[in-house]
């Protein structure tokens, strides 16, 4: 399968995300521009201009009406997906690291980094109450004293946010009270990415400890572990096969001293039940920072340190492949 | 030195050692033992006499006279003097006939049992062992090579401070410490011996494992040469110390294959020593003006050395027989820039790589001068090479050699066969190789061409019986290639010492089929444990080869059983994992279905559970796909 190459960013990709139906793919990077692409042919729908710093996160609501981005320019912004118009600007005291719409699309959450004397906070805004946006007053702001949040997703019904921390912990934070409902201490190093399965029942966490782990979203029961020998930057669960895809690589500062080989960095596919690797896809010129499955499972995308996003459509063999059991 | 094994060092003999070697072991002490002298009626020998200078000699004599005249009248005395002081036992001649000997014999040390030092060879599945250093040197492990996965035999933290070495026959593992070297062996890798040499950096073993040579840059003084020390492995005794100007070309001392001689080269000099005396052969070094390099044949007590051109005298390579020092062959060479000596493993052939600048030219060309050691008068054949040489290697046990030549990116490999009829045939050449090193199997016939380090770990597995490429593969950023001693397996590895990520070692068959990948955190070094030469005679080996079919059947059956057992285990494991996973998914699916009303409510009644839940919502769109680009210059229209 020949991948579609999306060249819309000057700097390394920080996150990519499909909308619910999968026809759009959003990409953000260390440059201030957020892009929306048609996933079927790689044509760009448009850009969201306004941020003045690296953009760390992006999300679209279930209806693909609104887009949410968080940036190192200390702001979280809401956009109209179709027109690109900035609908809301929520200023923060430190960089916004992760953000997302809940299942209903009415509540947004985002976390801010621990920096410049400010703590890490997990903030909740209800979009149905315009006053919150106008006053820049979240209805709930949860401080994280111990270890800052590095990645977060919403639970299946908007009741809690599942957050991964710098110290490897994963916690469920209630969207009503902010208290920690459940905790999992399985990883030994920073959580780089958390993604949910398409039905939101499971989540997969990618960690600097060179593993990705699968958990049940509701009770945070640890189900599977996928081991590699490199830090894992991102992981995703296939919507229609018992597969997970992982992307990673070494620390950015090590890249210049090690590989000069073209296209060395690979996305790795593991069998979700057997925890065994069964395939790799090469092509990126640097470590892979983010991976995502299309909601129909017929393709997947990866965003790299090289600034490119690659969309791969699977060959028929991918769906027929089976490990002997 | 810190050792996990907290036992005291011992100087005892291994189990099967027959102790008939008083002369050898206690030679220096026995030399001091008084002998009954003929012709002297009675002698009193007084040892441990204080060493005094001439001013107190009188007083000493008086004291001794006083003590010993109790035993009888002293008729004569002898006080040996060295360097102005009394030294050594004093002899007193006495009237009475009894000989009183005051002499202390050394204490016998208790016998220490290290077990069977050859234990690893008795593995019923013939697994070879290898040492692995990882955790950037913090951990050292010994593993047995099993096709399924490495079996850990022993593993210790901080077993060595830098690296390890195996002795040539595999009996000992040597570890390095600030204060010296330790040797370990036997089934449990107990500490067998240790040698105190502060700051030791390099070691070398004699081929017979009787001696070990250590080098430390710290220990040299003008009077007491301690930079290089030669030790007796069994007794732990220091045999002799030497100065060392530079350790750049270690080993400085090169051993004859039977361990009877060792030699080193200094300015214009070749010094050959004998064992066990550690003295110079014929009590003198050889003066060889301009000597640039030498090496022993690995099969016989023959040294090859070369000297460069000197005024009118051409450069030459000389083969010298030891101990006779007969020059059995001399070969003159002209316009020589440099020479390198390459012996075939059995000493059947010597290849001298000669770089020359032919008269009237400026470039350097290379010839290989092939000396046929087993033929009368050692005939020499010349192979001319057109390109610069990257690597050269003889087939062990055979008569082929492989050469990597050319310049990146046009690197070629050529295979030559030294035939009995006096010809050297170029069997085959492959061009466009990604290789900078040649690794022959220790049993010959097969080899690996590797592009290590900067060539990113390109590998080619070759069968030289018909010069076919069996497999082309890659171990990205591989820094080392190591064959097992039997020639069945090859390990490629990425050492943390040369590359900070992906540190691992991979196991391949000799045909280039990848069997295992073992990642080890900050893996540094893997060394196979050598095997001693086979105890079988040639006849016995012939017999076994004749019956090989019979043995193969048995081994194949065993392998199949073991493999299917592994497959079965894996398959069973997968089945049970899938079952558990399915059960879990069913449970969550039930809960998911129960929550459907909640989901509908959250999305205002819109069912989004499936992508096609809302077919009415679908739009038809025409999409453009980029197919091709064609550039038509306007002038052609």
């Amino acid at each position: 399968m020949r991948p579609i190459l999306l060249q819309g960013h000057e700097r390394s990709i920080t996150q990519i995300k499909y909308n619910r139906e999968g026809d759009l793919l959003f990409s953000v990077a260390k440059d201030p521009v957020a892009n929306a692409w048609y996933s079927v042919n790689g044509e760009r729908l448009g850009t969201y201009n306004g941020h003045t710093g690296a953009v760390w996160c992006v999300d679209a609501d279930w209806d693909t009406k609104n887009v949410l981005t968080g940036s190192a320019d200390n702001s979280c912004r809401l956009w109209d997906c179709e027109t690109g118009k900035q609908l809301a600007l929520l200023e923060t005291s430190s960089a916004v690291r992760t953000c997302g719409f809940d299942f209903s699309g009415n509540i947004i959450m985002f976390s801010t980094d621990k920096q410049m004397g400010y703590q890490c906070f997990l903030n909740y805004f209800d979009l149905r109450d315009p006053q919150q946006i106008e006053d820049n007053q979240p209805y709930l702001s949860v401080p994280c004293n111990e270890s800052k949040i590095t990645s977060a997703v919403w639970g299946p019904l908007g009741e809690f946010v599942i957050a991964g921390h710098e110290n490897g912990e994963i916690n469920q934070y209630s969207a009503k009270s902010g208290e920690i409902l459940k905790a999992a201490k399985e990883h030994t190093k920073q959580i780089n990415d958390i993604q949910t399965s398409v039905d939101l029942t499971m989540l997969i966490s990618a960690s600097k400890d060179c593993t990705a782990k699968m958990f049940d979203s509701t009770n945070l029961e640890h189900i599977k572990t996928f081991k590699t020998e490199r830090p894992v930057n991102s992981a995703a669960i296939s919507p229609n096969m018992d597969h997970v895809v992982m992307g990673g690589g070494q620390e950015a500062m090590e890249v210049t001293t090690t590989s000069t080989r073209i296209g060395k960095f690979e996305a790795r596919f593991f069998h979700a039940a057997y925890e065994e690797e069964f395939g790799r896809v090469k092509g990126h010129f640097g470590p892979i920072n983010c991976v995502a499955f299309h909601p129909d499972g017929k393709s997947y995308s990866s965003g790299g340190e090289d600034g490119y996003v690659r969309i791969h459509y699977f060959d028929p063999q991918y769906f027929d492949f089976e490990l002997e059991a | 030195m810190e050792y996990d094994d907290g036992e005291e060092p011992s100087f005892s003999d291994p189990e099967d050692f027959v102790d008939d070697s008083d002369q050898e072991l206690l030679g220096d002490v026995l030399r001091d033992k008084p002998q009954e002298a003929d012709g002297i009626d009675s002698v009193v020998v007084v040892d441990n006499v204080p060493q005094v200078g001439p001013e107190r000699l009188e007083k000493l004599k008086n004291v001794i006279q006083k003590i010993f005249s109790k035993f009888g009248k002293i008729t004569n005395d002898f006080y040996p003097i060295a360097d102005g002081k009394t030294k050594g036992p004093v002899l007193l001649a006495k009237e009475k006939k009894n000989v009183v000997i005051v002499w202390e014999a050394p204490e016998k040390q208790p016998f220490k049992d290290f077990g069977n030092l050859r234990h690893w060879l008795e593995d019923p599945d013939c697994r070879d062992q290898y040492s692995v250093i990882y955790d950037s040197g913090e951990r050292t492990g010994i593993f047995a090579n099993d096709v399924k996965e490495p079996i850990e035999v022993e593993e210790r933290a901080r077993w060595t401070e830098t690296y390890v070495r195996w002795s040539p026959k595999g009996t000992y593992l040597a570890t390095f410490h600030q204060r010296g070297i330790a040797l370990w062996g036997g089934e449990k890798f107990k500490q067998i011996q240790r040698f105190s040499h502060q700051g030791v950096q390099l070691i070398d073993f004699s081929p017979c494992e009787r001696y070990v040579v250590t080098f430390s840059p710290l220990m040299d003084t003008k009077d007491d040469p301690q930079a290089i020390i030669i030790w007796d492995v069994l007794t732990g005794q220091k045999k002799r110390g030497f100065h060392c100007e530079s350790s750049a070309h270690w080993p400085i001392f090169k051993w004859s294959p039977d361990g009877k001689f060792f030699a080193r080269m200094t300015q214009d000099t070749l010094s050959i020593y004998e064992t066990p005396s550690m003295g110079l052969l014929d009590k003198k070094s050889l003066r060889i003006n301009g000597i640039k390099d030498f090496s022993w044949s690995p099969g016989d007590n023959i040294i090859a050395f070369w000297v460069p051109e000197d005024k009118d005298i051409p450069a030459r390579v000389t083969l010298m027989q030891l101990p006779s020092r007969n020059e059995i062959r001399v070969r003159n060479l002209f316009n020589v820039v440099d020479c390198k000596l390459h012996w075939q493993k059995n000493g059947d052939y010597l290849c001298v790589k000669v770089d020359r600048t032919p008269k009237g030219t400026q470039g350097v060309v290379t010839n290989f001068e092939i000396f046929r050691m087993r033929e009368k008068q050692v005939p020499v054949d010349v192979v001319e090479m057109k390109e610069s040489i990257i690597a050269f290697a003889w087939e062990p046990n055979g008569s082929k050699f492989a050469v990597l030549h050319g310049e990146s990116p046009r690197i070629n490999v050529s295979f030559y066969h030294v035939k009995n009829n006096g010809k050297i045939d170029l069997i085959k050449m492959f061009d466009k190789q990604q290789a900078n090193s040649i690794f022959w199997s220790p049993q010959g016939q097969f080899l690996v061409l590797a592009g290590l380090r900067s060539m990113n770990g390109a590998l080619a597995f070759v069968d030289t019986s018909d010069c076919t490429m069996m497999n082309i593969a890659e171990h990205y950023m591989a820094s080392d290639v190591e064959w097992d001693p039997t020639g069945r397996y090859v390990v490629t590895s990425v050492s943390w010492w040369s590359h900070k990520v992906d540190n691992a070692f991979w196991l391949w068959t000799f045909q280039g089929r990848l069997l295992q990948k073992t990642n080890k955190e900050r893996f540094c070094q893997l060394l196979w444990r050598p095997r001693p030469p086979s105890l079988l005679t040639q006849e016995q080996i012939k017999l076994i080869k004749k019956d090989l079919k019979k043995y193969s059947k048995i081994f194949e059956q065993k392998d199949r059983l073991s493999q299917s057992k592994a497959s079965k285990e894996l398959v069973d494991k997968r089945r049970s994992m899938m079952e558990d996973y399915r059960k879990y998914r069913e449970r969550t699916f039930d809960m998911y279905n129960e929550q459907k009303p909640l989901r509908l409510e959250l999305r205002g009644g819109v069912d989004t559970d499936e992508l096609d839940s809302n077919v009415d919502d679908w739009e038809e769109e025409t999409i453009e796909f980029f197919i091709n680009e064609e550039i038509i210059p306007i002038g052609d229209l």
Side-chain angles (χ1 to χ4, degrees), chain B residues 565-591:
Chain B
K565 181 163 167 278
S567 312
K568 188 172 177 304
E569 279 174 11
L570 180 62
V571 164
D572 287 343
K573 180 172 155 227
R574 285 188 188 150
R575 269 212 203 111
S576 91
M577 285 176 97
M578 182 57 95
E579 226 183 272
D580 292 341
Y581 188 63
R582 286 270 155 268
K583 285 209 196 103
Y584 160 73
R585 293 299 291 154
E586 270 169 35
R587 290 201 303 271
T588 51
F589 199 60
D590 291 339
M591 186 169 69

mmCIF file of all heavy atoms in Angstrom, chain B residues 565-591:
data_model
loop_
_atom_site.group_PDB
_atom_site.id
_atom_site.type_symbol
_atom_site.label_atom_id
_atom_site.label_comp_id
_atom_site.label_asym_id
_atom_site.label_seq_id
_atom_site.Cartn_x
_atom_site.Cartn_y
_atom_site.Cartn_z
ATOM 1 N N LYS B 565 7.216 -29.433 20.696
ATOM 2 C CA LYS B 565 6.842 -29.145 22.078
ATOM 3 C C LYS B 565 6.749 -27.636 22.253
ATOM 4 O O LYS B 565 5.803 -27.127 22.843
ATOM 5 C CB LYS B 565 7.900 -29.722 23.024
ATOM 6 C CG LYS B 565 7.591 -29.503 24.501
ATOM 7 C CD LYS B 565 8.439 -30.463 25.359
ATOM 8 C CE LYS B 565 8.399 -30.079 26.823
ATOM 9 N NZ LYS B 565 9.339 -29.014 27.152
ATOM 10 N N ALA B 566 7.744 -26.908 21.702
ATOM 11 C CA ALA B 566 7.735 -25.451 21.817
ATOM 12 C C ALA B 566 6.537 -24.871 21.072
ATOM 13 O O ALA B 566 5.849 -24.000 21.589
ATOM 14 C CB ALA B 566 9.019 -24.875 21.268
ATOM 15 N N SER B 567 6.313 -25.360 19.839
ATOM 16 C CA SER B 567 5.165 -24.861 19.095
ATOM 17 C C SER B 567 3.899 -25.147 19.859
ATOM 18 O O SER B 567 3.023 -24.305 19.961
ATOM 19 C CB SER B 567 5.051 -25.531 17.735
ATOM 20 O OG SER B 567 6.268 -25.517 17.086
ATOM 21 N N LYS B 568 3.796 -26.371 20.387
ATOM 22 C CA LYS B 568 2.583 -26.733 21.098
ATOM 23 C C LYS B 568 2.397 -25.814 22.302
ATOM 24 O O LYS B 568 1.307 -25.328 22.571
ATOM 25 C CB LYS B 568 2.660 -28.201 21.539
ATOM 26 C CG LYS B 568 1.343 -28.685 22.110
ATOM 27 C CD LYS B 568 1.371 -30.193 22.365
ATOM 28 C CE LYS B 568 0.070 -30.643 23.011
ATOM 29 N NZ LYS B 568 -0.229 -29.925 24.248
ATOM 30 N N GLU B 569 3.498 -25.557 23.007
ATOM 31 C CA GLU B 569 3.400 -24.665 24.171
ATOM 32 C C GLU B 569 2.904 -23.293 23.756
ATOM 33 O O GLU B 569 2.025 -22.714 24.395
ATOM 34 C CB GLU B 569 4.771 -24.527 24.844
ATOM 35 C CG GLU B 569 5.099 -25.680 25.762
ATOM 36 C CD GLU B 569 6.529 -25.589 26.293
ATOM 37 O OE1 GLU B 569 7.169 -24.533 26.117
ATOM 38 O OE2 GLU B 569 6.978 -26.576 26.876
ATOM 39 N N LEU B 570 3.490 -22.802 22.643
ATOM 40 C CA LEU B 570 3.115 -21.472 22.183
ATOM 41 C C LEU B 570 1.656 -21.454 21.758
ATOM 42 O O LEU B 570 0.901 -20.547 22.101
ATOM 43 C CB LEU B 570 4.022 -21.057 21.023
ATOM 44 C CG LEU B 570 3.754 -19.671 20.433
ATOM 45 C CD1 LEU B 570 3.988 -18.614 21.493
ATOM 46 C CD2 LEU B 570 4.645 -19.412 19.227
ATOM 47 N N VAL B 571 1.267 -22.474 21.025
ATOM 48 C CA VAL B 571 -0.114 -22.543 20.543
ATOM 49 C C VAL B 571 -1.081 -22.633 21.720
ATOM 50 O O VAL B 571 -2.108 -21.956 21.742
ATOM 51 C CB VAL B 571 -0.278 -23.741 19.585
ATOM 52 C CG1 VAL B 571 -1.737 -24.065 19.375
ATOM 53 C CG2 VAL B 571 0.385 -23.442 18.248
ATOM 54 N N ASP B 572 -0.754 -23.456 22.683
ATOM 55 C CA ASP B 572 -1.622 -23.555 23.871
ATOM 56 C C ASP B 572 -1.730 -22.225 24.588
ATOM 57 O O ASP B 572 -2.809 -21.811 25.009
ATOM 58 C CB ASP B 572 -1.071 -24.604 24.842
ATOM 59 C CG ASP B 572 -1.289 -26.012 24.324
ATOM 60 O OD1 ASP B 572 -2.124 -26.182 23.414
ATOM 61 O OD2 ASP B 572 -0.608 -26.928 24.817
ATOM 62 N N LYS B 573 -0.562 -21.589 24.709
ATOM 63 C CA LYS B 573 -0.543 -20.295 25.402
ATOM 64 C C LYS B 573 -1.446 -19.305 24.678
ATOM 65 O O LYS B 573 -2.244 -18.599 25.299
ATOM 66 C CB LYS B 573 0.898 -19.776 25.449
ATOM 67 C CG LYS B 573 1.048 -18.441 26.135
ATOM 68 C CD LYS B 573 2.530 -18.100 26.313
ATOM 69 C CE LYS B 573 2.704 -16.593 26.398
ATOM 70 N NZ LYS B 573 3.748 -16.058 25.588
ATOM 71 N N ARG B 574 -1.327 -19.283 23.346
ATOM 72 C CA ARG B 574 -2.150 -18.345 22.582
ATOM 73 C C ARG B 574 -3.629 -18.671 22.738
ATOM 74 O O ARG B 574 -4.459 -17.762 22.903
ATOM 75 C CB ARG B 574 -1.790 -18.397 21.098
ATOM 76 C CG ARG B 574 -0.476 -17.707 20.776
ATOM 77 C CD ARG B 574 -0.280 -17.621 19.299
ATOM 78 N NE ARG B 574 1.038 -17.138 18.928
ATOM 79 C CZ ARG B 574 1.669 -17.477 17.821
ATOM 80 N NH1 ARG B 574 1.095 -18.325 16.972
ATOM 81 N NH2 ARG B 574 2.857 -16.985 17.544
ATOM 82 N N ARG B 575 -3.961 -19.948 22.690
ATOM 83 C CA ARG B 575 -5.378 -20.336 22.825
ATOM 84 C C ARG B 575 -5.951 -19.832 24.128
ATOM 85 O O ARG B 575 -7.045 -19.267 24.158
ATOM 86 C CB ARG B 575 -5.517 -21.855 22.777
ATOM 87 C CG ARG B 575 -5.724 -22.316 21.393
ATOM 88 C CD ARG B 575 -6.580 -23.535 21.244
ATOM 89 N NE ARG B 575 -6.181 -24.114 19.949
ATOM 90 C CZ ARG B 575 -5.530 -25.238 19.818
ATOM 91 N NH1 ARG B 575 -5.241 -25.965 20.883
ATOM 92 N NH2 ARG B 575 -5.168 -25.661 18.636
ATOM 93 N N SER B 576 -5.211 -20.039 25.193
ATOM 94 C CA SER B 576 -5.768 -19.645 26.500
ATOM 95 C C SER B 576 -5.834 -18.141 26.624
ATOM 96 O O SER B 576 -6.782 -17.590 27.191
ATOM 97 C CB SER B 576 -4.968 -20.281 27.632
ATOM 98 O OG SER B 576 -3.932 -19.459 28.035
ATOM 99 N N MET B 577 -4.856 -17.431 26.004
ATOM 100 C CA MET B 577 -4.905 -15.966 26.055
ATOM 101 C C MET B 577 -6.122 -15.452 25.293
ATOM 102 O O MET B 577 -6.807 -14.525 25.727
ATOM 103 C CB MET B 577 -3.638 -15.361 25.442
ATOM 104 C CG MET B 577 -2.434 -15.478 26.339
ATOM 105 S SD MET B 577 -0.953 -14.871 25.536
ATOM 106 C CE MET B 577 -0.885 -13.217 26.176
ATOM 107 N N MET B 578 -6.394 -16.064 24.143
ATOM 108 C CA MET B 578 -7.531 -15.623 23.333
ATOM 109 C C MET B 578 -8.842 -15.897 24.063
ATOM 110 O O MET B 578 -9.750 -15.073 24.052
ATOM 111 C CB MET B 578 -7.506 -16.340 21.975
ATOM 112 C CG MET B 578 -8.617 -15.910 21.045
ATOM 113 S SD MET B 578 -8.610 -14.135 20.728
ATOM 114 C CE MET B 578 -7.676 -14.094 19.210
ATOM 115 N N GLU B 579 -8.904 -17.049 24.707
ATOM 116 C CA GLU B 579 -10.120 -17.388 25.438
ATOM 117 C C GLU B 579 -10.406 -16.352 26.513
ATOM 118 O O GLU B 579 -11.526 -15.848 26.630
ATOM 119 C CB GLU B 579 -9.957 -18.766 26.075
ATOM 120 C CG GLU B 579 -11.144 -19.676 25.873
ATOM 121 C CD GLU B 579 -10.920 -20.981 26.595
ATOM 122 O OE1 GLU B 579 -10.323 -21.883 25.969
ATOM 123 O OE2 GLU B 579 -11.307 -21.062 27.770
ATOM 124 N N ASP B 580 -9.367 -16.053 27.307
ATOM 125 C CA ASP B 580 -9.542 -15.058 28.377
ATOM 126 C C ASP B 580 -9.954 -13.717 27.800
ATOM 127 O O ASP B 580 -10.824 -13.039 28.352
ATOM 128 C CB ASP B 580 -8.225 -14.873 29.153
ATOM 129 C CG ASP B 580 -7.873 -16.099 29.949
ATOM 130 O OD1 ASP B 580 -8.787 -16.923 30.184
ATOM 131 O OD2 ASP B 580 -6.697 -16.246 30.330
ATOM 132 N N TYR B 581 -9.328 -13.361 26.702
ATOM 133 C CA TYR B 581 -9.614 -12.072 26.094
ATOM 134 C C TYR B 581 -11.055 -12.009 25.602
ATOM 135 O O TYR B 581 -11.758 -11.030 25.814
ATOM 136 C CB TYR B 581 -8.631 -11.820 24.951
ATOM 137 C CG TYR B 581 -8.694 -10.441 24.344
ATOM 138 C CD1 TYR B 581 -8.389 -9.311 25.109
ATOM 139 C CD2 TYR B 581 -9.034 -10.255 23.012
ATOM 140 C CE1 TYR B 581 -8.424 -8.041 24.550
ATOM 141 C CE2 TYR B 581 -9.084 -8.998 22.453
ATOM 142 C CZ TYR B 581 -8.779 -7.895 23.225
ATOM 143 O OH TYR B 581 -8.822 -6.632 22.676
ATOM 144 N N ARG B 582 -11.492 -13.062 24.956
ATOM 145 C CA ARG B 582 -12.872 -13.115 24.455
ATOM 146 C C ARG B 582 -13.865 -12.995 25.598
ATOM 147 O O ARG B 582 -14.854 -12.271 25.504
ATOM 148 C CB ARG B 582 -13.125 -14.443 23.726
ATOM 149 C CG ARG B 582 -12.486 -14.531 22.361
ATOM 150 C CD ARG B 582 -13.411 -14.029 21.263
ATOM 151 N NE ARG B 582 -12.635 -13.566 20.126
ATOM 152 C CZ ARG B 582 -12.252 -12.299 19.980
ATOM 153 N NH1 ARG B 582 -12.576 -11.382 20.851
ATOM 154 N NH2 ARG B 582 -11.538 -11.946 18.934
ATOM 155 N N LYS B 583 -13.577 -13.703 26.676
ATOM 156 C CA LYS B 583 -14.487 -13.651 27.841
ATOM 157 C C LYS B 583 -14.573 -12.223 28.354
ATOM 158 O O LYS B 583 -15.662 -11.716 28.645
ATOM 159 C CB LYS B 583 -13.967 -14.558 28.967
ATOM 160 C CG LYS B 583 -14.170 -16.014 28.720
ATOM 161 C CD LYS B 583 -14.311 -16.781 30.051
ATOM 162 C CE LYS B 583 -14.130 -18.279 29.810
ATOM 163 N NZ LYS B 583 -12.823 -18.772 30.210
ATOM 164 N N TYR B 584 -13.426 -11.583 28.438
ATOM 165 C CA TYR B 584 -13.409 -10.194 28.925
ATOM 166 C C TYR B 584 -14.218 -9.302 27.997
ATOM 167 O O TYR B 584 -15.046 -8.498 28.442
ATOM 168 C CB TYR B 584 -11.965 -9.696 29.041
ATOM 169 C CG TYR B 584 -11.861 -8.193 29.064
ATOM 170 C CD1 TYR B 584 -12.253 -7.466 30.185
ATOM 171 C CD2 TYR B 584 -11.418 -7.498 27.941
ATOM 172 C CE1 TYR B 584 -12.184 -6.077 30.198
ATOM 173 C CE2 TYR B 584 -11.347 -6.116 27.945
ATOM 174 C CZ TYR B 584 -11.739 -5.412 29.069
ATOM 175 O OH TYR B 584 -11.679 -4.042 29.063
ATOM 176 N N ARG B 585 -14.037 -9.478 26.682
ATOM 177 C CA ARG B 585 -14.750 -8.636 25.727
ATOM 178 C C ARG B 585 -16.255 -8.853 25.807
ATOM 179 O O ARG B 585 -17.050 -7.931 25.667
ATOM 180 C CB ARG B 585 -14.251 -8.898 24.295
ATOM 181 C CG ARG B 585 -12.815 -8.467 24.029
ATOM 182 C CD ARG B 585 -12.597 -6.992 24.224
ATOM 183 N NE ARG B 585 -13.273 -6.188 23.213
ATOM 184 C CZ ARG B 585 -13.670 -4.927 23.394
ATOM 185 N NH1 ARG B 585 -13.478 -4.337 24.558
ATOM 186 N NH2 ARG B 585 -14.260 -4.267 22.427
ATOM 187 N N GLU B 586 -16.636 -10.107 26.068
ATOM 188 C CA GLU B 586 -18.075 -10.387 26.207
ATOM 189 C C GLU B 586 -18.666 -9.639 27.389
ATOM 190 O O GLU B 586 -19.742 -9.042 27.290
ATOM 191 C CB GLU B 586 -18.305 -11.888 26.390
ATOM 192 C CG GLU B 586 -18.505 -12.624 25.081
ATOM 193 C CD GLU B 586 -18.456 -14.132 25.284
ATOM 194 O OE1 GLU B 586 -18.925 -14.595 26.354
ATOM 195 O OE2 GLU B 586 -17.947 -14.824 24.390
ATOM 196 N N ARG B 587 -17.940 -9.671 28.494
ATOM 197 C CA ARG B 587 -18.421 -8.983 29.698
ATOM 198 C C ARG B 587 -18.620 -7.495 29.424
ATOM 199 O O ARG B 587 -19.640 -6.907 29.749
ATOM 200 C CB ARG B 587 -17.431 -9.126 30.859
ATOM 201 C CG ARG B 587 -17.336 -10.512 31.436
ATOM 202 C CD ARG B 587 -16.755 -10.468 32.850
ATOM 203 N NE ARG B 587 -15.436 -9.840 32.928
ATOM 204 C CZ ARG B 587 -14.296 -10.481 32.779
ATOM 205 N NH1 ARG B 587 -14.289 -11.771 32.502
ATOM 206 N NH2 ARG B 587 -13.152 -9.833 32.896
ATOM 207 N N THR B 588 -17.591 -6.898 28.791
ATOM 208 C CA THR B 588 -17.691 -5.445 28.553
ATOM 209 C C THR B 588 -18.785 -5.158 27.524
ATOM 210 O O THR B 588 -19.451 -4.131 27.593
ATOM 211 C CB THR B 588 -16.366 -4.853 28.048
ATOM 212 O OG1 THR B 588 -15.896 -5.623 26.955
ATOM 213 C CG2 THR B 588 -15.320 -4.840 29.135
ATOM 214 N N PHE B 589 -18.977 -6.078 26.584
ATOM 215 C CA PHE B 589 -20.017 -5.865 25.588
ATOM 216 C C PHE B 589 -21.396 -5.840 26.236
ATOM 217 O O PHE B 589 -22.262 -5.037 25.877
ATOM 218 C CB PHE B 589 -19.938 -6.956 24.509
ATOM 219 C CG PHE B 589 -20.626 -6.587 23.238
ATOM 220 C CD1 PHE B 589 -20.234 -5.479 22.519
ATOM 221 C CD2 PHE B 589 -21.686 -7.347 22.767
ATOM 222 C CE1 PHE B 589 -20.877 -5.122 21.341
ATOM 223 C CE2 PHE B 589 -22.332 -7.006 21.589
ATOM 224 C CZ PHE B 589 -21.923 -5.894 20.872
ATOM 225 N N ASP B 590 -21.578 -6.741 27.197
ATOM 226 C CA ASP B 590 -22.855 -6.743 27.916
ATOM 227 C C ASP B 590 -23.101 -5.411 28.586
ATOM 228 O O ASP B 590 -24.187 -4.827 28.473
ATOM 229 C CB ASP B 590 -22.869 -7.855 28.983
ATOM 230 C CG ASP B 590 -22.909 -9.235 28.362
ATOM 231 O OD1 ASP B 590 -23.327 -9.335 27.187
ATOM 232 O OD2 ASP B 590 -22.510 -10.199 29.040
ATOM 233 N N MET B 591 -22.087 -4.909 29.257
ATOM 234 C CA MET B 591 -22.213 -3.630 29.945
ATOM 235 C C MET B 591 -22.446 -2.502 28.940
ATOM 236 O O MET B 591 -23.248 -1.597 29.161
ATOM 237 C CB MET B 591 -20.947 -3.356 30.771
ATOM 238 C CG MET B 591 -21.064 -2.113 31.632
ATOM 239 S SD MET B 591 -19.740 -1.946 32.833
ATOM 240 C CE MET B 591 -18.360 -1.609 31.778
#
